[in-house]
């Protein structure tokens, strides 16, 4: 099966990072993720991320750096999840794709029910921001 490319933003506001809970009716409903989405034909990863964040969250961010990529095999196919560290000037509180949003400390990330593909990214972030 094909590998689907998905981009996500690790969006910081001060020292908190945004995670979003996927609506129940979506694939991986109820799991928390870093917001983003599938890369469309003809788009760069960065363009895709900026578009998705505006569409879903009406949030404009600054992409600071490419962070970490991971491949995860779900039952219905594999995704490559490409993450970027971003900064946001404002806090968003509504999403078209999620039923809850939370701004959390990096050190608390693994206490949330993250989508399985996000766990290696969360672990890497915890390492990076440790002490
Ligand atoms: N946006 C995003 N998606 C993620 C993350 N982790 C993870 O496994 N995914 C999965 C969920 C989806 O299967 C896919 C992204 O799809 P999407 O959110 O753009 O799209 P969609 O609603 O059209 O997806 P789908 O219901 O058709 O699967 O990647 C993450 O951190 N952010």
């Amino acid at each position: 099966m094909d590998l689907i490319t998905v981009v996500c933003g690790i969006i910081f506001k001060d020292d908190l990072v945004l995670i979003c809970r996927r609506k129940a009716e979506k694939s991986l409903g109820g799991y928390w993720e870093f917001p983003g989405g599938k890369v469309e034909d003809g788009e760069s990863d960065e363009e895709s991320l900026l578009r998705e964040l505006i569409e879903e969250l009406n949030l404009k961010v600054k992409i600071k750096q490419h962070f970490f990529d991971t491949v995860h095999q779900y039952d219905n196919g594999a995704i490559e999840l490409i993450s970027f560290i971003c900064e946001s000037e404002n806090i968003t509180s509504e999403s078209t794709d999620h039923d809850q949003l939370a701004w959390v400390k990096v050190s608390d990330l693994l206490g949330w029910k993250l989508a399985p593909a996000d766990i290696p990214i969360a672990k890497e972030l915890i390492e990076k921001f440790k002490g």
Side-chain angles (χ1 to χ4, degrees):
M1 199 175 274
D2 288 346
L3 188 64
I4 292 173
T5 305
V6 177
V7 283
C8 67
I10 301 162
I11 303 170
F12 280 89
K13 169 80 183 135
D14 303 323
D15 61 342
L16 299 179
V17 72
L18 177 64
I19 54 172
C20 305
R21 194 174 73 172
R22 293 176 66 86
K23 282 187 176 168
E25 63 270 23
K26 290 181 71 80
S27 61
L28 294 173
Y31 280 94
W32 292 82
E33 67 179 10
F34 299 111
K38 293 174 189 152
V39 176
E40 291 177 2
D41 284 348
E43 274 182 333
S44 68
D45 296 345
E46 288 89 343
E47 283 167 350
S48 167
L49 180 59
L50 295 176
R51 173 185 54 73
E52 289 280 358
L53 296 177
I54 288 181
E55 280 175 12
E56 289 179 16
L57 297 163
N58 195 23
L59 190 65
K60 232 179 153 178
V61 302
K62 240 185 221 145
I63 296 179
K64 304 302 273 188
Q65 67 172 102
H66 172 236
F67 184 54
F68 183 77
D69 303 339
T70 179
V71 172
H72 188 85
Q73 180 71 50
Y74 286 113
D75 290 345
N76 58 351
I79 68 162
E80 179 179 31
L81 187 59
I82 299 176
S83 63
F84 291 89
I85 292 185
C86 308
E87 265 175 23
S88 177
E89 307 239 312
N90 50 321
I91 282 195
T92 180
S93 56
E94 269 191 71
S95 169
T96 55
D97 289 20
H98 305 99
D99 63 2
Q100 277 192 49
L101 308 184
W103 291 89
V104 306
K105 285 200 264 182
V106 168
S107 56
D108 291 342
L109 275 171
L110 293 177
W112 296 77
K113 189 177 125 189
L114 295 177
D118 296 51
I119 291 173
I121 296 178
K123 287 185 174 161
E124 198 67 23
L125 259 186
I126 290 166
E127 270 306 301
K128 182 178 164 84
F129 287 93
K130 196 154 74 177

